[in-house]
Amino acid sequence: DAGVTQSPTHLIKTRGQQVTLRCSPKSGHDTVSWYQQALGQGPQFIFQYYEEEERQRGNFPDRFSGHQFPNYSSELNVNALLLGDSALYLCASSLAFPRGPRTDTQYFGPGTRLTVL
Amino acid sequence: KQEVTQIPAALSVPEGENLVLNCSFTDSAIYNLQWFRQDPGKGLTSLLLIQSSQREQTSGRLNASLDKSSGRSTLYIAASQPGDSATYLCAGGDYGGSQGNLIFGKGTKLSVKP
């Protein structure tokens, strides 16, 4: 049973560029959440996608956008990269209620390490 | 706005010692409380999930408790091993019914010395 996968593993970009990160959820899951984890900090919620729509959003600027595909995989796009966007980007998947439990753990992928120079 | 704090930030113990990691949160309306483990440069592994209606959960050598009235959760690790060395994160579930966003603490970095 494949867990959550993310690509690429590492990425180096320069300021002002755009980046796309990809996530495939755990088999059977339909909800994808994205988190940003700066060095030495806990992950911060960016947004969550369900049924191809953004359902919840954290306190991140519009430069951060996403998409969910019919097969439930998801992309995170960041435009006009800043040095402060350097972080580990984590994707987590879950199964939405009522198909899944009302509350359940989220399963995290290994992350994509983004470095902005 | 929910805020999660973890104390201590780092902890070093000899192998075999029992230890407690602390987590506090500001909003008692927390929906659930989860503990995760993170190895350096890696993703998060879920350890224990405590529903808001529960007081504790156990898995092997791990026991987590939740006291909503005091805004605290603890993770107890019995008979620690070098393989337990990692950063431990607690997270409050902030949105009922849909596994919504998790509010994380900064973590406690645990080092277990052989």
Side-chain angles (χ1 to χ4, degrees), chain B residues 44-62:
Chain B
L44 278 62
T45 300
S46 177
L47 298 173
L48 291 165
L49 166 67
I50 310 175
Q51 310 283 4
S52 62
S53 58
Q54 298 175 320
R55 297 280 295 184
E56 65 178 303
Q57 282 287 334
T58 298
S59 176
R61 295 183 294 109
L62 306 180

Side-chain angles (χ1 to χ4, degrees), chain A residues 35 37 41-43 45 48 55-56 90 94-97 101-106 108-110, chain B residues 31-32 34 36 38 41-44 46 49 51 89 95 97-102 104-106:
Chain A
Y35 293 81
Q37 185 178 25
Q41 304 294 312
F45 176 74
Q48 183 181 80
R55 182 163 66 174
Q56 261 193 299
L90 296 163
S94 54
L95 182 61
F97 179 82
R102 179 172 289 278
T103 178
D104 198 8
T105 191
Q106 294 184 21
F108 282 78
Chain B
Y31 198 76
N32 58 45
Q34 300 184 46
F36 293 88
Q38 186 173 32
K42 306 293 186 182
L44 278 62
S46 177
L49 166 67
Q51 310 283 4
L89 295 152
Y95 182 85
S98 304
Q99 300 95 35
N101 83 84
L102 296 174
F104 283 86
K106 293 183 178 181

Side-chain angles (χ1 to χ4, degrees), chain A residues 20-94:
Chain A
T20 297
L21 311 182
R22 296 175 176 81
C23 171
S24 290
K26 179 179 168 63
S27 179
H29 283 182
D30 57 11
T31 302
V32 173
S33 302
W34 287 92
Y35 293 81
Q36 180 195 65
Q37 185 178 25
L39 202 61
Q41 304 294 312
Q44 284 194 303
F45 176 74
I46 303 175
F47 43 53
Q48 183 181 80
Y49 276 84
Y50 171 68
E51 291 189 340
E52 302 180 49
E53 290 191 358
E54 182 182 294
R55 182 163 66 174
Q56 261 193 299
R57 188 178 183 93
N59 189 26
F60 278 80
D62 292 344
R63 298 187 297 107
F64 290 77
S65 63
H67 188 77
Q68 185 179 35
F69 300 93
N71 67 354
Y72 306 118
S73 66
S74 176
E75 287 182 350
L76 164 65
N77 301 293
V78 186
N79 295 322
L81 285 167
L82 303 174
L83 295 179
D85 295 332
S86 295
L88 181 67
Y89 287 84
L90 296 163
C91 167
S93 74
S94 54

